[in-house]
Amino acid sequence: MSVLMLTLRLSSLLLIGVLAAAAVRKEPFPVEVLAGMTAASVSDRSCVSYLKVRRTV
């Protein structure tokens, strides 16, 4: 029997997108925006989960 479980937090994707946009932009994001996104990613627990159970008989 094998189990595979993946969990992807939606707030982490949003934070990665904002940080990638900050790296590409010429002028930096305000500190308030980055602090707000960090606080939102810590407090948000929404996620997508994938569970695969394989059983051999």
Side-chain angles (χ1 to χ4, degrees):
M1 182 167 164
S2 64
V3 177
L4 171 67
M5 182 170 182
L6 301 172
T7 301
L8 179 63
R9 290 184 50 197
L10 301 177
S11 60
S12 298
L13 288 177
L14 183 61
L15 185 60
I16 289 170
V18 168
L19 292 176
V24 172
R25 289 179 52 157
K26 293 188 191 283
E27 64 271 351
F29 274 129
V31 175
E32 294 84 9
V33 171
L34 295 177
M37 290 307 303
T38 303
S41 69
V42 169
S43 65
D44 185 24
R45 294 290 177 194
S46 60
C47 64
V48 174
S49 295
Y50 174 75
L51 176 65
K52 179 181 180 182
V53 178
R54 190 165 78 179
R55 196 171 162 189
T56 57
V57 180

